[in-house]
Each structure stands twice: as structure tokens, then as C-alpha cells.
């Protein structure tokens, strides 16, 4: 059984490693978890000793198959709890991240399987992020950053990159949420803000907001 801190490290390394596929430097981990490099070094030794990661000086940390499996299990629990909180307890999508951070550490596989079934096996959480299945498989829809799309793009909002509550409240207020159809009408040369059409509603999005919106790459 892993400690809360060990689980948080594994989840952070998985995300930094872009799905556990690339090496991650210790200073990247320290920055993401807002901790000291010395603390990261100590944790790397612990996780390496348990065969969750491998470490090579100057090249960084890589996840083992066991480490990826454990990280995906934690992510699965987090996203299922977020879905439960929004769908069944009527939390707003900007309120659930911190609560799910606590619930994801519950050690009961049976509870999670029953939770998944109770929610009718959702494929994505309220923010559009894919939910790993019980075997750790993730169905990822091809997507790209809205700000990088060309004029005339038509598709739908898939997910939001940042879980910042202020951003989520704003997107909810203007109706730019996962599942909504979106069309790129114009990009301002001065500040790179975008004019878009979301479900027939014209909106102006700043560059930082547009950079955090992920959209489908299959035109519709």
C-alpha cells in the first residue's frame, strides 16, 4: 500500500511524462508539486525501490509498467469521483477537483468498481478528461488546442487543460464546456484573441483561455 504522498508523486510523474512515456527531470517534479528538490530525490529513491520508477542521473525519471498501472488507477479514481460529485451530488465542475484529490486515495477496488457501474461506466469526467477503465486502458479522442486551429475550423470542445476554478467558472458562465459545438470565426492580430461561435452563440475568447480549450480534430 502506498502513502498519499507516494500516490501524488506517481500521478504527477505520469502527467509530466505525457502518459508515462518520457523521462522527467527532478526539478520538473519539484515545480509541479511545489516542493524542494531534496524531497523529490528522497521520494525517487523510495519509488524506485518499490519498482514504480527507474532513475538515471542526468536523464531523469521514467515510469515502469507497474508505476504506470498504479498511476492510472489513481487517475481513474479521481475522475470517477469528480463525475459522481457533479452528476449525483450537483457540485459545479469548478468545485470538485480538491474533493476528488482526497477521495482518490481510498483503498477499495470493490468500491470503485461499484462506483463505475453506478455511473454507467462513463468515458470522460466533467472536464472532458478520459477515464481509464479497470484494466488501465484509456480511450483518448484526437484533439488539439483551440488557439492553434485555422480560421473556419468546426468541431466540438473535448476538454479543458487547466483545472483552475476561476477558468472553469468563466467557461461555465459563457457556455464553452465539453461537448459543445464550436466554430472559429476570426483571430485578432493584435492580441491573438479569438471570435468563436459556440452552439450558435458568438463569443470572444482571450488567448490564455483559447489555449486551455481542447477541441476535436475531426471536423463536423
Amino acid at each position: 500500500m502506498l502513502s498519499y504522498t507516494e500516490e501524488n508523486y506517481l500521478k504527477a510523474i505520469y502527467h509530466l511524462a505525457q502518459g508515462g512515456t518520457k523521462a522527467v527531470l527532478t526539478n520538473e517534479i519539484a515545480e509541479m508539486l511545489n516542493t524542494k528538490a531534496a524531497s523529490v530525490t528522497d521520494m525517487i529513491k523510495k519509488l524506485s525501490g518499490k519498482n514504480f520508477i527507474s532513475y538515471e542521473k542526468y536523464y531523469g525519471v521514467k515510469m515502469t509498467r507497474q508505476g504506470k498501472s498504479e498511476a492510472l488507477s489513481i487517475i481513474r479514481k479521481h475522475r470517477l469521483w469528480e463525475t459522481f460529485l457533479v452528476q449525483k451530488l450537483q457540485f459545479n465542475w469548478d468545485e470538485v477537483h480538491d474533493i476528488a484529490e482526497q477521495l482518490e486515495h481510498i483503498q477499495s477496488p470493490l468500491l470503485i468498481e461499484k462506483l463505475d457501474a453506478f455511473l454507467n461506466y462513463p468515458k470522460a469526467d466533467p472536464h472532458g478528461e478520459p477515464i481509464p477503465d479497470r484494466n488501465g486502458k484509456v480511450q483518448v479522442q484526437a484533439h488539439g488546442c483551440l488557439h492553434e486551429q485555422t480560421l473556419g475550423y468546426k468541431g466540438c470542445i473535448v476538454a479543458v487543460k487547466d483545472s483552475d476554478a476561476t477558468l472553469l467558472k468563466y467557461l461555465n458562465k459563457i457556455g464553452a464546456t465539453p461537448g459543445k459545438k464550436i466554430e472559429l470565426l476570426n483571430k485578432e492580430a493584435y492580441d491573438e484573441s479569438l471570435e468563436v461561435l459556440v452552439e450558435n452563440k458568438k463569443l470572444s475568447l482571450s488567448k490564455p483561455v483559447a489555449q486551455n480549450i481542447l477541441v476535436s480534430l475531426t471536423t463536423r
Side-chain angles (χ1 to χ4, degrees):
M1 186 177 295
L2 295 171
S3 68
Y4 284 20
T5 304
E6 288 171 329
E7 290 190 341
N8 288 336
Y9 266 82
L10 281 179
K11 188 171 67 168
I13 294 169
Y14 178 87
H15 287 309
L16 287 169
Q18 298 175 6
T21 59
K22 64 184 277 289
V24 180
L25 300 177
T26 54
N27 62 340
E28 293 179 297
I29 302 171
E31 183 177 354
M32 185 171 191
L33 293 175
N34 192 28
T35 190
K36 296 178 180 179
S39 298
V40 174
T41 301
D42 290 341
M43 183 57 70
I44 285 173
K45 292 177 181 177
K46 289 182 181 179
L47 294 175
S48 181
K50 295 181 179 181
N51 196 36
F52 289 114
I53 61 171
S54 60
Y55 175 72
E56 188 174 350
K57 195 173 183 180
Y58 305 121
Y59 290 94
V61 173
K62 293 199 74 171
M63 303 201 85
T64 62
R65 181 178 296 182
Q66 182 180 342
K68 290 179 189 177
S69 177
E70 189 66 33
L72 284 165
S73 174
I74 300 163
I75 292 167
R76 168 175 163 79
K77 289 187 285 184
H78 182 100
R79 293 176 180 173
L80 282 172
W81 282 120
E82 286 193 333
T83 304
F84 171 77
L85 290 167
V86 170
Q87 288 188 3
K88 304 302 180 181
L89 298 186
Q90 283 73 57
F91 277 84
N92 294 323
W93 72 333
D94 56 273
E95 299 174 320
V96 297
H97 180 74
D98 289 344
I99 302 173
E101 285 279 305
Q102 301 172 55
L103 294 171
E104 71 185 27
H105 299 293
I106 295 175
Q107 300 295 331
S108 174
L110 178 59
L111 172 62
I112 299 306
E113 294 313 308
K114 286 185 175 293
L115 177 64
D116 194 16
F118 178 67
L119 296 171
N120 197 26
Y121 307 102
K123 301 299 182 186
D125 71 13
H127 311 109
E129 295 287 356
I131 300 173
D133 67 16
R134 62 185 300 176
N135 298 313
K137 293 182 179 179
V138 185
Q139 294 183 7
V140 181
Q141 181 179 350
H143 62 260
C145 173
L146 173 61
H147 195 265
E148 296 172 354
Q149 305 310 307
T150 57
L151 293 182
Y153 164 83
K154 293 182 180 180
C156 69
I157 299 174
V158 173
V160 181
K161 288 170 63 176
D162 197 339
S163 60
D164 178 77
T166 305
L167 172 65
L168 296 177
K169 286 179 181 178
Y170 174 69
L171 292 177
N172 195 57
K173 179 181 178 181
I174 64 176
T177 53
K180 297 289 184 68
K181 294 180 181 178
I182 188 167
E183 180 178 351
L184 179 52
L185 303 177
N186 187 43
K187 180 181 288 187
E188 292 293 336
Y190 175 67
D191 61 359
E192 298 186 51
S193 61
L194 304 184
E195 184 180 17
V196 299
L197 198 64
V198 177
E199 299 286 352
N200 299 316
K201 179 181 178 182
K202 193 174 288 187
L203 301 171
S204 179
L205 302 177
S206 67
K207 180 180 179 180
V209 169
Q211 288 176 323
N212 276 296
I213 295 176
L214 299 178
V215 293
S216 61
L217 293 184
T218 303
T219 56
R220 50 188 293 180

